[in-house]
Amino acid sequence: MAIGKVRYVGEPVAAVIAERPDIAAVASTEVVVECKKLQSVTDVVKARKENAPLLHESGESAAIFEDLAMVHHSEEPNVAYAYELNVGDIEKGFEEADVVFEKNYATPMVQHVHLEPFVTTASYNAAKNSFRIVTGNQTPHFVRREVARIFGIPSSKVEVEVPQMGGAFGSKTYVRIEPLVAALSRVVKAPVKLRQTSSESFDTSVRDGTQTRVKTGVTHDGVIIAQEVEVIWDSGAYADISPRKVKKAGYTAPGAYDIPNVRVISKSVYTNKPPGVAYRGFGVAQTAWAVESHIDDVAREIGMDPVELRIRNITQDGGTYNGVAIGIHGAPQCLQAIVDEVDWFGMKLKQPSKKHIKKGRGIAVTLKTTITPSTSEAIVLLDADGSVNVITGGTEIGQGIITTLAQITAEGLGIGIEYVNVNTPNTNSAPFNTSTTSSRSTFHLGNAILRAVDELKEQLVELASEDLEIEKSDIIVEDGFVKTSVGDYSIGDVVASHFVGGGGTLIGKGYFSTKAGRENRYESAFWMTGATYAEVSVDTRTGKYSIDKWVNSADCGKAIDPVRCEGQILGAAVQALGHAMSEEMVFESGQQVNKSLLDYKVPAIGDVPKESKVIIVESGDPNGPYGAKGVGESNTVTVPPAIGNAIRDACGARVRELPITPDKVLRGIEEASECIII
């Protein structure tokens, strides 16, 4: 399966098909692979040198994504894609600054650790030259399109069904193992199932590592007038969606701040490691780790409170960002909610009686885009008993979208949620949906559903007008009833009385699409914003630390389901807790050595701070369904820098490379020499 050469340890080379998994396992031991050892490169700096071994001698543009057609745009060795953003005059900005501060930061590759591994079943029908695929995937319509392209058949010949999934976090976006399983099914002309182990997931998709340089020019009174951010992405052996991430996360690399002079340099680099793919936060988590840590360092450099520096520079609702107008986003409200909750400017931390234990506090804030442009469609079926079936391409990955879409539908028609059924997607019946990614589902699918509901209401008015022989202007549909000048009728009764035999179904269709940005700017259908406060205790003798308290806020526009919103905010924060404290893929000679849940440490319930609060901010998005927007990613971004800033405040140790381990903290304490170590 590896074409021409194997580009990373763990890349599939051959497949064994058997009637039972145990037989396949035994048979696979009989496969002998003869390889010539090639020179490898696992470091992004070495990969870009002139004499570096090339992972891809020639490049093919993306088959599906038009915006990734220039995937091999850069002339540097092993650079898949380079994006640059220039706003204002960066050099003049640095010249006018009173203080210019520059530092480097880093994040490792991490894995999504969805507890349900990659699982796909494919069945090839030779008579029809068609496929039926059942898979855990966030983008069933793209799977259908890509499988059809690979096998040269119409997309109508590929059926993709997605049941509820046991987690994904971006890893199950676009195609993963589906084309392979389809190919194997066609070989044996029988259904084939491939179920990976959790360890094999580490070989399939990861989050890119990064090396980031941040240079900031600021005045003595705390106005940031220039910032340059250079991000080098360790994207592994294949580009996948990393080029889009390079642009999207690159655009928001300066953080949530309105800075007049900006330069962003963002490059995706091939290395002999597993491929970097989409991950909750879509690259903003890596850039925010650098910039939000850097903002605290800048504040200390000019003797200003770090929150005051943020408040002074944060982009405002209806203000500008990267030199262009920005609408309502809620970043100032998220920051202010945290500040008010913890009384940042009035409260002082009480230090422990043990002198070697130091307490500190830190804050971070973020502003993130959603995937734009994108499209969602919905079909709403109204039956004669007044019940409703909702059909979309949105997938349930644990985020609760089935419930949220049912609520939106019920509210739109004025009926009880118990009358609404939301189907899991099957591409043979579900209309197109770009993806269940980037926290876009409530906003995009919700809007599509409301448009379908409006079409249903128009049809109900038509039926009532025709059957009752009254003017349409005398009819309204609300609260589950068709209200007319001659009486009120339930929406089900109107359908039942119109069709022969008391049956019949009305079909409402809704379409919602957003437009692309212009030139190198990134328009966003809506903006995700949030903030985190962290309070820590650090043992200056060992570098060990505990997170005693945290507060996480996020703007959801309007909380359609407040409990589920709280769950998304806290879930994102807990996931980021692992990135901050323990998670990293460790490589030796290009091979990961901690490729199991025994060695790769993710947070458990006992790691969550005992004092924990979630704040839902509702800024009201003017374009969202009932003012709602996505809420699932902000605090994946803000938690690590908030913890890093708190440790810096406690003991002077600035850790610039995730995860923040005790040995790094201890080394930072020694370098800072700001604490008396007892």
Side-chain angles (χ1 to χ4, degrees):
M1 291 180 287
I3 300 173
K5 61 182 176 182
V6 178
R7 290 178 171 85
Y8 67 94
V9 176
E11 182 172 5
V13 174
V16 174
I17 311 170
E19 292 181 352
R20 299 201 314 263
D22 58 326
I23 298 174
V26 172
S28 67
T29 64
E30 299 298 316
V31 176
V32 177
V33 180
E34 296 181 355
C35 287
K36 176 184 177 182
K37 188 174 181 180
L38 302 176
Q39 186 180 0
S40 64
V41 58
T42 57
D43 178 85
V44 292
V45 176
K46 294 179 180 178
R48 291 182 294 144
K49 291 186 175 180
E50 289 186 8
N51 59 348
L54 294 178
L55 273 82
H56 300 274
E57 290 78 8
S58 61
E60 296 180 6
S61 62
I64 290 181
F65 307 110
E66 293 179 3
D67 57 329
L68 302 186
M70 296 298 290
V71 71
H72 283 272
H73 177 69
S74 177
E75 295 181 359
E76 282 188 271
N78 292 315
V79 172
Y81 184 81
Y83 167 75
E84 186 167 334
L85 173 69
N86 289 284
V87 178
D89 188 331
I90 190 72
E91 300 303 336
K92 184 179 179 181
F94 285 133
E95 289 174 4
E96 294 176 351
D98 296 320
V99 176
V100 176
F101 190 78
E102 183 175 7
K103 288 294 179 181
N104 296 316
Y105 307 84
T107 65
M109 277 187 168
V110 298
Q111 222 279 325
H112 304 70
V113 199
H114 37 78
L115 294 186
E116 176 193 81
F118 292 96
V119 184
T120 295
T121 299
S123 180
Y124 176 67
N125 186 319
K128 296 182 177 180
N129 192 24
S130 65
F131 292 93
R132 171 173 164 76
I133 299 171
V134 180
T135 186
N137 192 286
Q138 297 168 251
T139 50
H141 286 90
F142 278 104
V143 171
R144 179 181 68 164
R145 181 175 171 182
E146 183 67 355
V147 170
R149 184 191 69 83
I150 289 171
F151 293 100
I153 58 178
S155 61
S156 59
K157 295 286 188 177
V158 181
E159 175 188 1
V160 180
E161 180 181 337
V162 179
Q164 293 190 28
M165 282 181 276
F169 311 117
S171 181
K172 299 174 183 177
T173 304
Y174 309 118
V175 292
R176 289 291 168 259
I177 62 176
E178 293 85 6
L180 166 62
V181 184
L184 299 180
S185 177
R186 195 172 73 160
V187 168
V188 295
K189 294 181 175 56
V192 171
K193 179 178 182 178
L194 172 58
R195 181 182 61 199
Q196 290 189 339
T197 65
S198 59
S199 293
E200 288 169 336
S201 295
F202 285 84
D203 295 328
T204 304
S205 56
V206 303
R207 188 182 84 171
D208 306 55
T210 55
Q211 300 285 338
T212 304
R213 175 181 60 84
V214 186
K215 180 180 179 181
T216 300
V218 62
T219 63
H220 287 310
D221 58 352
V223 178
I224 302 174
I225 58 176
Q227 188 173 83
E228 181 177 76
V229 184
E230 182 181 23
V231 193
I232 308 301
W233 304 80
D234 185 349
S235 298
Y238 295 96
D240 197 81
I241 204 66
S242 288
R244 179 176 285 168
K245 187 187 313 176
V246 164
K247 180 179 180 180
K248 183 181 169 189
Y251 185 72
T252 56
Y257 308 106
D258 188 6
I259 305 171
N261 305 291
V262 170
R263 177 187 292 153
V264 174
I265 303 163
S266 186
K267 298 179 180 180
S268 172
V269 179
Y270 291 122
T271 61
N272 294 110
K273 293 179 183 176
V277 305
Y279 191 108
R280 190 177 195 172
F282 207 71
V284 181
Q286 294 99 303
T287 58
W289 160 250
V291 170
E292 283 298 289
S293 299
H294 189 76
I295 289 294
D296 260 49
D297 291 344
V298 169
R300 182 175 291 268
E301 188 76 9
I302 63 174
M304 178 176 283
D305 182 275
V307 172
E308 183 180 347
L309 180 63
R310 286 177 169 85
I311 292 174
R312 187 163 298 189
N313 293 280
I314 198 165
T315 187
Q316 299 296 315
D317 284 342
T320 58
Y321 184 69
N322 284 338
V324 297
I326 187 172
I328 294 175
H329 51 81
Q333 295 93 314
C334 289
L335 179 59
Q336 193 63 49
I338 294 283
V339 170
D340 293 343
E341 172 65 27
V342 302
D343 189 18
W344 178 273
F345 293 108
M347 178 266 295
K348 281 194 173 182
L349 290 179
K350 184 179 179 181
Q351 293 297 329
S353 57
K354 296 180 179 179
K355 292 185 178 180
H356 65 281
I357 304 295
K358 302 293 183 182
K359 289 186 71 70
R361 57 183 186 162
I363 272 182
V365 65
T366 191
L367 180 144
K368 180 191 177 295
T369 66
T370 188
I371 180 174
T372 308
S374 69
T375 295
S376 288
E377 297 173 88
I379 297 172
V380 179
L381 307 175
L382 173 60
D383 290 332
D385 65 348
S387 64
V388 172
N389 268 290
V390 180
I391 305 173
T392 76
T395 59
E396 177 59 68
I397 52 178
Q399 83 282 38
I401 193 61
I402 286 178
T403 302
T404 300
L405 296 184
Q407 288 178 282
I408 291 172
T409 307
E411 182 72 17
L413 285 169
I415 60 177
I417 194 172
E418 66 272 18
Y419 287 94
V420 181
N421 176 65
V422 178
N423 292 269
T424 54
N426 182 308
T427 57
N428 273 9
S429 57
F432 181 80
N433 181 52
T434 295
S435 62
T436 304
T437 62
S438 202
S439 300
R440 63 179 294 280
S441 294
T442 295
F443 187 92
H444 291 76
L445 289 172
N447 274 318
I449 285 172
L450 289 181
R451 292 183 178 185
V453 165
D454 286 342
E455 188 175 285
L456 277 181
K457 289 180 177 179
E458 291 175 3
Q459 293 178 52
L460 287 167
V461 170
E462 289 273 0
L463 296 187
S465 175
E466 178 183 336
D467 294 346
L468 299 173
E469 298 181 347
I470 58 177
E471 295 294 327
K472 295 178 185 177
S473 58
D474 294 330
I475 305 171
I476 60 171
V477 181
E478 63 180 11
D479 301 326
F481 286 87
V482 179
K483 299 180 180 181
T484 76
S485 56
V486 297
D488 297 346
Y489 307 88
S490 73
I491 57 176
D493 286 344
V494 171
V495 176
S497 63
H498 180 78
F499 292 99
V500 176
T505 302
L506 289 189
I507 304 172
K509 302 178 293 299
Y511 169 85
F512 183 80
S513 185
T514 56
K515 295 181 180 179
R518 58 188 184 279
E519 297 178 353
N520 61 349
R521 298 293 191 265
Y522 197 99
E523 297 287 339
S524 186
F526 63 86
W527 298 85
M528 283 170 270
T529 52
T532 295
Y533 167 85
E535 200 172 291
V536 303
S537 295
V538 182
D539 187 332
T540 58
R541 297 182 302 187
T542 64
K544 290 185 178 181
Y545 62 94
S546 62
I547 303 166
D548 306 322
K549 174 182 178 179
W550 67 359
V551 182
N552 290 283
S553 70
D555 180 21
C556 64
K558 171 64 179 176
I560 290 177
D561 186 343
V563 173
R564 211 167 296 276
C565 287
E566 288 185 2
Q568 282 292 292
I569 295 168
L570 184 58
V574 173
Q575 190 165 23
L577 189 63
H579 305 156
M581 300 184 71
S582 59
E583 289 188 49
E584 63 176 324
M585 295 173 64
V586 180
F587 292 89
E588 293 180 2
S589 301
Q591 181 163 345
Q592 188 187 352
V593 296
N594 61 336
K595 198 168 56 176
S596 78
L597 294 182
L598 289 173
D599 301 308
Y600 184 89
K601 302 300 181 184
V602 296
I605 193 66
D607 297 312
V608 179
K610 291 182 174 59
E611 193 172 347
S612 175
K613 184 175 180 61
V614 168
I615 300 175
I616 295 175
V617 174
E618 295 180 293
S619 66
D621 192 290
N623 300 312
Y626 304 111
K629 63 178 181 178
V631 73
E633 298 174 83
S634 300
N635 301 99
T636 312
V637 174
T638 53
V639 165
I643 293 173
N645 291 337
I647 291 171
R648 175 74 170 87
D649 180 61
C651 63
R654 168 54 74 196
V655 177
R656 293 190 169 87
E657 181 177 2
L658 289 177
I660 307 170
T661 55
D663 61 310
K664 293 176 184 175
V665 174
L666 192 60
R667 190 158 55 245
I669 292 171
E670 293 170 351
E671 291 173 355
S673 300
E674 292 182 12
C675 291
I676 300 174
I677 302 176
I678 305 298

